[in-house]
Amino acid sequence: GENVEQHPSTLSVQEGDSAVIKCTYSDSASNYFPWYKQELGKGPQLIIDIRSNVGEKKDQRIAVTLNKTAKHFSLHITETQPEDSAVYFCAAPYSSASKIIFGSGTRLSIRP
Amino acid sequence: DAGVTQSPTHLIKTRGQQVTLRCSPISGHKSVSWYQQVLGQGPQFIFQYYEKEERGRGNFPDRFSARQFPNYSSELNVNALLLGDSALYLCASSWSGGAAGNTIYFGEGSWLTVV
């Protein structure tokens, strides 16, 4: 079946510390894993994505890791800043139906 | 270049009415998808269109319909509105029709309130 599980649902970290959000997926054929950031009242913004032919991808303070064997992928944010506060969604395609399945979201709060 | 644009941004409808939401994809993108996001949840897939043909449909009733035009813009129609249809409706565009491997970009959404 199609399912993407995301943990934790809420995360509070001190400014400057790191934040990690984890997801698991069920469709073995999935080969593309985007992460979206959604601020209040706005649409989801793509912040990073990874394809199944690589295990890790970095973009400045953001990194994503992928373990295809375990069907896990994670978002890592280092040196967190107040503007990182938002809801983050992981997602994976459900290949047979050409659609993206989203996780339930993680509300990240950065404490000053 | 403009991103995915949606209209209207906010609207209020009465139960039983019909609503049409519009979307223009990023220039050069041929695929449009629609998602419903209820407050506090992740977006749920409604439809995908590619080259004016429906490529995927989520678990939504027949009250929901969509179409894609020759210029790749799209409309989502919802008939016989229910209170539970109140949500943020998101349009997403990508270059081609297959979800696997295609970068998908979202618009800011249309907030629909049904009273």
Side-chain angles (χ1 to χ4, degrees), chain A residues 29 31-32 36 38 40-46 49 51 89 93-105 107, chain B residues 33 35 37 40-43 45 48 55-58 88 90 97-109 111:
Chain A
N31 63 358
Y32 171 67
Y36 291 89
Q38 189 172 28
L40 195 62
K42 296 188 175 182
Q45 175 192 6
L46 179 70
D49 56 17
R51 287 168 171 77
F89 291 97
Y94 187 61
S95 57
S96 65
S98 296
K99 64 184 179 184
I100 294 287
I101 305 297
F102 283 80
S104 54
R107 182 172 298 279
Chain B
S33 299
Y35 289 78
Q37 187 177 23
Q41 298 182 17
F45 175 80
Q48 187 204 22
R55 287 297 185 92
R57 172 184 284 258
L88 176 66
L90 294 161
N102 273 292
T103 304
I104 296 174
Y105 299 93
F106 283 85
E108 297 291 9
W111 287 95

Short mmCIF file of all heavy atoms in Angstrom, two decimals, chain A residues 29 31-32 36 38 40-46 49 51 89 93-105 107, chain B residues 33 35 37 40-43 45 48 55-58 88 90 97-109 111:
data_model
loop_
_atom_site.label_atom_id
_atom_site.label_comp_id
_atom_site.label_asym_id
_atom_site.label_seq_id
_atom_site.Cartn_x
_atom_site.Cartn_y
_atom_site.Cartn_z
N ALA A 29 9.31 0.75 -5.31
CA ALA A 29 9.64 1.34 -6.61
C ALA A 29 9.91 2.84 -6.52
O ALA A 29 10.37 3.44 -7.49
CB ALA A 29 8.51 1.08 -7.60
N ASN A 31 11.60 6.25 -6.24
CA ASN A 31 13.00 6.60 -6.52
C ASN A 31 13.27 8.09 -6.43
O ASN A 31 14.30 8.57 -6.91
CB ASN A 31 13.41 6.07 -7.90
CG ASN A 31 12.60 6.70 -9.00
OD1 ASN A 31 11.71 7.50 -8.75
ND2 ASN A 31 12.92 6.36 -10.23
N TYR A 32 12.35 8.83 -5.85
CA TYR A 32 12.51 10.28 -5.76
C TYR A 32 11.88 10.74 -4.46
O TYR A 32 10.74 10.40 -4.17
CB TYR A 32 11.84 10.95 -6.96
CG TYR A 32 11.74 12.46 -6.87
CD1 TYR A 32 12.88 13.24 -6.91
CD2 TYR A 32 10.51 13.09 -6.74
CE1 TYR A 32 12.81 14.61 -6.82
CE2 TYR A 32 10.42 14.46 -6.65
CZ TYR A 32 11.57 15.22 -6.70
OH TYR A 32 11.48 16.57 -6.61
N TYR A 36 9.57 19.32 1.63
CA TYR A 36 8.93 20.61 1.47
C TYR A 36 8.84 21.33 2.82
O TYR A 36 8.63 20.70 3.86
CB TYR A 36 7.52 20.46 0.90
CG TYR A 36 7.49 19.99 -0.54
CD1 TYR A 36 7.47 18.63 -0.84
CD2 TYR A 36 7.49 20.90 -1.59
CE1 TYR A 36 7.44 18.19 -2.15
CE2 TYR A 36 7.46 20.47 -2.91
CZ TYR A 36 7.44 19.12 -3.19
OH TYR A 36 7.42 18.70 -4.49
N GLN A 38 6.67 24.35 4.69
CA GLN A 38 5.44 25.11 4.55
C GLN A 38 5.29 26.09 5.70
O GLN A 38 5.20 25.70 6.86
CB GLN A 38 4.22 24.19 4.48
CG GLN A 38 2.94 24.93 4.12
CD GLN A 38 1.76 23.98 3.87
OE1 GLN A 38 1.70 22.90 4.42
NE2 GLN A 38 0.83 24.40 3.02
N LEU A 40 3.18 29.34 7.50
CA LEU A 40 1.77 29.59 7.76
C LEU A 40 1.13 30.37 6.63
O LEU A 40 1.64 31.42 6.22
CB LEU A 40 1.63 30.34 9.08
CG LEU A 40 0.23 30.38 9.69
CD1 LEU A 40 -0.23 28.97 10.03
CD2 LEU A 40 0.22 31.27 10.93
N GLY A 41 0.05 29.82 6.08
CA GLY A 41 -0.69 30.51 5.05
C GLY A 41 -0.10 30.42 3.66
O GLY A 41 -0.59 31.07 2.73
N LYS A 42 0.94 29.60 3.50
CA LYS A 42 1.59 29.50 2.20
C LYS A 42 1.57 28.07 1.67
O LYS A 42 1.31 27.13 2.42
CB LYS A 42 3.03 30.00 2.28
CG LYS A 42 3.15 31.47 2.62
CD LYS A 42 4.59 31.94 2.50
CE LYS A 42 4.70 33.43 2.71
NZ LYS A 42 6.11 33.91 2.54
N GLY A 43 1.90 27.91 0.40
CA GLY A 43 2.00 26.59 -0.17
C GLY A 43 3.33 25.95 0.17
O GLY A 43 4.27 26.62 0.61
N PRO A 44 3.45 24.63 -0.01
CA PRO A 44 4.72 23.95 0.28
C PRO A 44 5.83 24.41 -0.66
O PRO A 44 5.61 24.52 -1.88
CB PRO A 44 4.37 22.48 0.03
CG PRO A 44 2.88 22.39 0.10
CD PRO A 44 2.39 23.70 -0.41
N GLN A 45 6.99 24.66 -0.09
CA GLN A 45 8.15 25.09 -0.87
C GLN A 45 9.18 23.97 -0.89
O GLN A 45 9.61 23.50 0.17
CB GLN A 45 8.75 26.35 -0.24
CG GLN A 45 10.04 26.82 -0.90
CD GLN A 45 10.75 27.88 -0.08
OE1 GLN A 45 10.37 28.19 1.03
NE2 GLN A 45 11.82 28.43 -0.62
N LEU A 46 9.58 23.54 -2.08
CA LEU A 46 10.60 22.51 -2.20
C LEU A 46 11.93 23.04 -1.68
O LEU A 46 12.41 24.09 -2.10
CB LEU A 46 10.75 22.09 -3.66
CG LEU A 46 11.80 21.03 -3.95
CD1 LEU A 46 11.37 19.68 -3.41
CD2 LEU A 46 12.09 20.94 -5.45
N ASP A 49 15.73 17.70 -2.56
CA ASP A 49 15.21 16.39 -2.95
C ASP A 49 16.38 15.46 -3.24
O ASP A 49 17.52 15.91 -3.41
CB ASP A 49 14.27 16.48 -4.17
CG ASP A 49 14.92 17.16 -5.38
OD1 ASP A 49 16.16 17.28 -5.43
OD2 ASP A 49 14.17 17.58 -6.27
N ARG A 51 17.40 11.59 -5.26
CA ARG A 51 17.00 10.46 -6.09
C ARG A 51 17.71 9.20 -5.63
O ARG A 51 18.75 9.27 -4.97
CB ARG A 51 17.27 10.78 -7.57
CG ARG A 51 16.26 11.79 -8.09
CD ARG A 51 16.61 12.38 -9.44
NE ARG A 51 15.51 13.18 -9.97
CZ ARG A 51 15.19 14.40 -9.57
NH1 ARG A 51 15.88 14.98 -8.61
NH2 ARG A 51 14.15 15.03 -10.10
N PHE A 89 7.45 18.69 5.41
CA PHE A 89 6.82 17.46 4.90
C PHE A 89 7.82 16.68 4.06
O PHE A 89 8.49 17.23 3.19
CB PHE A 89 5.62 17.78 4.01
CG PHE A 89 4.44 18.36 4.73
CD1 PHE A 89 4.22 19.73 4.77
CD2 PHE A 89 3.54 17.52 5.39
CE1 PHE A 89 3.13 20.26 5.43
CE2 PHE A 89 2.44 18.05 6.05
CZ PHE A 89 2.24 19.42 6.07
N PRO A 93 6.92 9.27 -4.26
CA PRO A 93 5.95 8.97 -5.30
C PRO A 93 5.39 7.57 -5.13
O PRO A 93 6.07 6.66 -4.66
CB PRO A 93 6.77 9.06 -6.59
CG PRO A 93 8.16 8.76 -6.16
CD PRO A 93 8.30 9.25 -4.77
N TYR A 94 4.13 7.42 -5.48
CA TYR A 94 3.50 6.11 -5.56
C TYR A 94 3.47 5.78 -7.03
O TYR A 94 2.62 6.27 -7.76
CB TYR A 94 2.10 6.15 -4.96
CG TYR A 94 1.45 4.78 -4.85
CD1 TYR A 94 2.03 3.79 -4.07
CD2 TYR A 94 0.27 4.49 -5.51
CE1 TYR A 94 1.44 2.55 -3.96
CE2 TYR A 94 -0.32 3.26 -5.41
CZ TYR A 94 0.27 2.28 -4.63
OH TYR A 94 -0.31 1.05 -4.52
N SER A 95 4.42 4.99 -7.46
CA SER A 95 4.77 4.92 -8.88
C SER A 95 3.63 4.50 -9.79
O SER A 95 3.51 4.99 -10.90
CB SER A 95 5.94 3.97 -9.07
OG SER A 95 5.61 2.69 -8.56
N SER A 96 2.78 3.64 -9.33
CA SER A 96 1.75 3.13 -10.25
C SER A 96 0.69 4.17 -10.56
O SER A 96 -0.06 4.02 -11.49
CB SER A 96 1.10 1.88 -9.66
OG SER A 96 0.40 2.21 -8.47
N ALA A 97 0.58 5.21 -9.75
CA ALA A 97 -0.49 6.19 -9.95
C ALA A 97 0.03 7.59 -10.22
O ALA A 97 -0.74 8.53 -10.26
CB ALA A 97 -1.42 6.20 -8.74
N SER A 98 1.34 7.71 -10.43
CA SER A 98 1.92 9.02 -10.74
C SER A 98 1.52 10.08 -9.74
O SER A 98 1.15 11.18 -10.12
CB SER A 98 1.53 9.45 -12.16
OG SER A 98 2.06 8.56 -13.10
N LYS A 99 1.54 9.79 -8.48
CA LYS A 99 1.19 10.77 -7.48
C LYS A 99 2.22 10.77 -6.36
O LYS A 99 2.97 9.82 -6.17
CB LYS A 99 -0.19 10.49 -6.91
CG LYS A 99 -0.32 9.17 -6.16
CD LYS A 99 -1.75 8.96 -5.73
CE LYS A 99 -1.93 7.65 -5.00
NZ LYS A 99 -3.35 7.38 -4.65
N ILE A 100 2.23 11.88 -5.63
CA ILE A 100 3.13 12.03 -4.49
C ILE A 100 2.35 11.78 -3.21
O ILE A 100 1.26 12.33 -3.03
CB ILE A 100 3.73 13.45 -4.48
CG1 ILE A 100 4.64 13.66 -5.67
CG2 ILE A 100 4.49 13.70 -3.18
CD1 ILE A 100 5.96 12.93 -5.60
N ILE A 101 2.90 10.96 -2.34
CA ILE A 101 2.31 10.72 -1.03
C ILE A 101 3.11 11.49 -0.01
O ILE A 101 4.34 11.36 0.05
CB ILE A 101 2.30 9.23 -0.67
CG1 ILE A 101 1.61 8.41 -1.76
CG2 ILE A 101 1.63 9.01 0.69
CD1 ILE A 101 0.16 8.75 -1.96
N PHE A 102 2.42 12.28 0.80
CA PHE A 102 3.09 13.10 1.79
C PHE A 102 3.06 12.46 3.17
O PHE A 102 2.11 11.76 3.52
CB PHE A 102 2.43 14.48 1.88
CG PHE A 102 2.79 15.40 0.77
CD1 PHE A 102 2.17 15.29 -0.47
CD2 PHE A 102 3.75 16.37 0.94
CE1 PHE A 102 2.51 16.14 -1.51
CE2 PHE A 102 4.10 17.23 -0.09
CZ PHE A 102 3.48 17.11 -1.31
N GLY A 103 4.09 12.73 3.95
CA GLY A 103 4.04 12.41 5.36
C GLY A 103 3.09 13.36 6.08
O GLY A 103 2.56 14.30 5.48
N SER A 104 2.92 13.12 7.36
CA SER A 104 1.95 13.91 8.13
C SER A 104 2.50 15.24 8.60
O SER A 104 1.76 16.05 9.16
CB SER A 104 1.45 13.09 9.32
OG SER A 104 2.56 12.64 10.08
N GLY A 105 3.78 15.48 8.39
CA GLY A 105 4.36 16.78 8.72
C GLY A 105 5.03 16.83 10.08
O GLY A 105 4.65 16.12 11.01
N ARG A 107 6.21 19.87 12.79
CA ARG A 107 6.23 21.30 13.13
C ARG A 107 7.53 21.58 13.88
O ARG A 107 7.71 21.14 15.01
CB ARG A 107 5.02 21.68 13.98
CG ARG A 107 4.98 23.16 14.32
CD ARG A 107 3.66 23.53 15.00
NE ARG A 107 2.51 23.30 14.13
CZ ARG A 107 2.12 24.13 13.17
NH1 ARG A 107 2.76 25.26 12.98
NH2 ARG A 107 1.06 23.84 12.44
N SER B 33 -0.92 18.85 -11.19
CA SER B 33 -1.59 17.99 -10.20
C SER B 33 -2.33 18.87 -9.22
O SER B 33 -1.94 20.01 -8.97
CB SER B 33 -0.57 17.13 -9.46
OG SER B 33 0.11 16.28 -10.33
N TYR B 35 -3.98 18.95 -5.23
CA TYR B 35 -3.95 18.36 -3.90
C TYR B 35 -4.89 19.12 -2.98
O TYR B 35 -5.07 20.33 -3.14
CB TYR B 35 -2.54 18.41 -3.31
CG TYR B 35 -1.55 17.48 -3.97
CD1 TYR B 35 -0.98 17.78 -5.19
CD2 TYR B 35 -1.20 16.28 -3.35
CE1 TYR B 35 -0.10 16.90 -5.79
CE2 TYR B 35 -0.30 15.41 -3.93
CZ TYR B 35 0.24 15.72 -5.16
OH TYR B 35 1.12 14.86 -5.75
N GLN B 37 -5.39 20.05 1.05
CA GLN B 37 -4.72 20.03 2.34
C GLN B 37 -5.67 20.55 3.41
O GLN B 37 -5.97 21.74 3.46
CB GLN B 37 -3.44 20.85 2.32
CG GLN B 37 -2.63 20.71 3.61
CD GLN B 37 -1.32 21.46 3.57
OE1 GLN B 37 -1.13 22.40 2.82
NE2 GLN B 37 -0.37 21.01 4.39
N GLY B 40 -3.74 21.04 9.40
CA GLY B 40 -3.04 20.13 10.29
C GLY B 40 -2.61 18.82 9.66
O GLY B 40 -2.05 17.96 10.33
N GLN B 41 -2.86 18.67 8.36
CA GLN B 41 -2.50 17.43 7.67
C GLN B 41 -1.63 17.71 6.45
O GLN B 41 -1.49 18.85 6.03
CB GLN B 41 -3.77 16.68 7.24
CG GLN B 41 -4.66 16.25 8.38
CD GLN B 41 -5.88 15.49 7.90
OE1 GLN B 41 -5.92 15.01 6.77
NE2 GLN B 41 -6.87 15.36 8.77
N GLY B 42 -1.05 16.66 5.92
CA GLY B 42 -0.29 16.79 4.69
C GLY B 42 -1.22 16.84 3.48
O GLY B 42 -2.38 16.42 3.57
N PRO B 43 -0.74 17.34 2.37
CA PRO B 43 -1.56 17.39 1.15
C PRO B 43 -1.96 15.99 0.69
O PRO B 43 -1.18 15.05 0.78
CB PRO B 43 -0.62 18.06 0.14
CG PRO B 43 0.37 18.82 0.96
CD PRO B 43 0.57 17.99 2.18
N PHE B 45 -3.48 13.80 -2.60
CA PHE B 45 -3.57 13.82 -4.06
C PHE B 45 -5.00 13.71 -4.53
O PHE B 45 -5.74 12.82 -4.09
CB PHE B 45 -2.72 12.67 -4.61
CG PHE B 45 -2.80 12.47 -6.09
CD1 PHE B 45 -2.06 13.28 -6.94
CD2 PHE B 45 -3.58 11.47 -6.63
CE1 PHE B 45 -2.11 13.08 -8.30
CE2 PHE B 45 -3.63 11.26 -7.99
CZ PHE B 45 -2.90 12.07 -8.84
N GLN B 48 -3.95 14.13 -11.36
CA GLN B 48 -2.84 14.59 -12.15
C GLN B 48 -3.25 14.62 -13.61
O GLN B 48 -3.91 13.69 -14.10
CB GLN B 48 -1.61 13.70 -12.01
CG GLN B 48 -0.41 14.30 -12.71
CD GLN B 48 0.65 13.28 -13.11
OE1 GLN B 48 0.38 12.10 -13.24
NE2 GLN B 48 1.86 13.76 -13.32
N ARG B 55 -3.98 11.45 -15.71
CA ARG B 55 -2.98 10.40 -15.53
C ARG B 55 -3.12 9.71 -14.17
O ARG B 55 -2.55 8.64 -13.96
CB ARG B 55 -1.58 10.97 -15.64
CG ARG B 55 -1.17 11.33 -17.04
CD ARG B 55 -1.13 10.11 -17.95
NE ARG B 55 -0.63 10.40 -19.27
CZ ARG B 55 0.64 10.30 -19.62
NH1 ARG B 55 1.55 9.92 -18.74
NH2 ARG B 55 1.01 10.57 -20.85
N GLY B 56 -3.86 10.31 -13.27
CA GLY B 56 -4.02 9.72 -11.95
C GLY B 56 -5.16 10.38 -11.22
O GLY B 56 -5.46 11.56 -11.44
N ARG B 57 -5.80 9.61 -10.37
CA ARG B 57 -6.92 10.12 -9.59
C ARG B 57 -6.81 9.56 -8.18
O ARG B 57 -6.56 8.36 -8.00
CB ARG B 57 -8.25 9.69 -10.21
CG ARG B 57 -9.48 10.01 -9.40
CD ARG B 57 -10.72 9.45 -10.07
NE ARG B 57 -11.11 10.27 -11.21
CZ ARG B 57 -12.11 11.14 -11.19
NH1 ARG B 57 -12.83 11.30 -10.10
NH2 ARG B 57 -12.42 11.83 -12.28
N GLY B 58 -6.97 10.43 -7.20
CA GLY B 58 -6.92 9.99 -5.81
C GLY B 58 -8.28 9.53 -5.33
O GLY B 58 -9.24 9.44 -6.10
N LEU B 88 -7.26 23.93 1.97
CA LEU B 88 -6.36 24.62 1.05
C LEU B 88 -6.19 23.71 -0.16
O LEU B 88 -5.79 22.55 -0.01
CB LEU B 88 -5.01 24.88 1.72
CG LEU B 88 -3.92 25.51 0.85
CD1 LEU B 88 -4.31 26.93 0.45
CD2 LEU B 88 -2.58 25.51 1.60
N LEU B 90 -4.21 22.94 -3.46
CA LEU B 90 -2.89 23.22 -4.00
C LEU B 90 -2.77 22.68 -5.42
O LEU B 90 -3.19 21.56 -5.71
CB LEU B 90 -1.82 22.58 -3.12
CG LEU B 90 -1.69 23.13 -1.72
CD1 LEU B 90 -0.95 22.15 -0.82
CD2 LEU B 90 -0.97 24.47 -1.73
N GLY B 97 4.93 13.85 -17.00
CA GLY B 97 3.80 13.25 -16.31
C GLY B 97 4.15 12.24 -15.23
O GLY B 97 3.34 11.96 -14.37
N GLY B 98 5.33 11.69 -15.27
CA GLY B 98 5.64 10.68 -14.28
C GLY B 98 6.12 11.28 -12.99
O GLY B 98 6.98 12.15 -12.98
N ALA B 99 5.57 10.84 -11.87
CA ALA B 99 5.97 11.43 -10.59
C ALA B 99 7.39 11.03 -10.25
O ALA B 99 8.12 11.81 -9.66
CB ALA B 99 5.03 10.97 -9.49
N ALA B 100 7.77 9.83 -10.61
CA ALA B 100 9.09 9.34 -10.22
C ALA B 100 10.17 10.15 -10.92
O ALA B 100 10.27 10.15 -12.14
CB ALA B 100 9.20 7.87 -10.58
N GLY B 101 10.98 10.85 -10.14
CA GLY B 101 12.10 11.56 -10.70
C GLY B 101 11.81 12.97 -11.15
O GLY B 101 12.73 13.70 -11.48
N ASN B 102 10.54 13.39 -11.16
CA ASN B 102 10.22 14.74 -11.59
C ASN B 102 10.13 15.68 -10.41
O ASN B 102 9.43 15.40 -9.44
CB ASN B 102 8.88 14.76 -12.32
CG ASN B 102 9.04 14.46 -13.77
OD1 ASN B 102 9.62 15.24 -14.51
ND2 ASN B 102 8.54 13.32 -14.20
N THR B 103 10.81 16.82 -10.50
CA THR B 103 10.69 17.82 -9.47
C THR B 103 9.32 18.48 -9.57
O THR B 103 8.91 18.88 -10.65
CB THR B 103 11.79 18.88 -9.62
OG1 THR B 103 13.06 18.20 -9.60
CG2 THR B 103 11.74 19.87 -8.48
N ILE B 104 8.64 18.56 -8.46
CA ILE B 104 7.27 19.07 -8.42
C ILE B 104 7.24 20.34 -7.59
O ILE B 104 7.70 20.36 -6.46
CB ILE B 104 6.32 18.01 -7.86
CG1 ILE B 104 6.29 16.79 -8.79
CG2 ILE B 104 4.92 18.58 -7.67
CD1 ILE B 104 5.50 15.64 -8.27
N TYR B 105 6.67 21.38 -8.16
CA TYR B 105 6.60 22.68 -7.51
C TYR B 105 5.13 23.03 -7.24
O TYR B 105 4.28 22.82 -8.09
CB TYR B 105 7.23 23.76 -8.38
CG TYR B 105 8.70 23.52 -8.67
CD1 TYR B 105 9.08 22.84 -9.82
CD2 TYR B 105 9.68 23.95 -7.80
CE1 TYR B 105 10.41 22.60 -10.09
CE2 TYR B 105 11.02 23.72 -8.06
CZ TYR B 105 11.38 23.04 -9.20
OH TYR B 105 12.70 22.80 -9.46
N PHE B 106 4.90 23.62 -6.06
CA PHE B 106 3.54 23.97 -5.66
C PHE B 106 3.29 25.46 -5.75
O PHE B 106 4.20 26.28 -5.58
CB PHE B 106 3.29 23.53 -4.20
CG PHE B 106 3.05 22.05 -4.06
CD1 PHE B 106 4.11 21.18 -3.94
CD2 PHE B 106 1.76 21.54 -4.06
CE1 PHE B 106 3.90 19.82 -3.81
CE2 PHE B 106 1.54 20.18 -3.92
CZ PHE B 106 2.61 19.33 -3.81
N GLY B 107 2.03 25.80 -5.99
CA GLY B 107 1.58 27.17 -5.87
C GLY B 107 1.24 27.49 -4.43
O GLY B 107 1.40 26.64 -3.53
N GLU B 108 0.76 28.71 -4.20
CA GLU B 108 0.43 29.13 -2.84
C GLU B 108 -0.94 28.64 -2.39
O GLU B 108 -1.27 28.74 -1.22
CB GLU B 108 0.50 30.65 -2.74
CG GLU B 108 1.87 31.24 -2.99
CD GLU B 108 2.88 30.92 -1.89
OE1 GLU B 108 2.59 30.09 -0.98
OE2 GLU B 108 3.98 31.49 -1.92
N GLY B 109 -1.71 28.14 -3.33
CA GLY B 109 -2.98 27.53 -2.96
C GLY B 109 -4.18 28.45 -2.99
O GLY B 109 -4.05 29.68 -3.04
N TRP B 111 -7.57 29.01 -0.73
CA TRP B 111 -8.24 28.66 0.52
C TRP B 111 -9.75 28.68 0.29
O TRP B 111 -10.32 29.70 -0.02
CB TRP B 111 -7.89 29.69 1.61
CG TRP B 111 -6.49 29.56 2.13
CD1 TRP B 111 -5.40 30.26 1.71
CD2 TRP B 111 -6.05 28.71 3.19
NE1 TRP B 111 -4.29 29.87 2.44
CE2 TRP B 111 -4.66 28.92 3.36
CE3 TRP B 111 -6.69 27.77 4.01
CZ2 TRP B 111 -3.91 28.23 4.30
CZ3 TRP B 111 -5.94 27.10 4.96
CH2 TRP B 111 -4.56 27.33 5.10
#
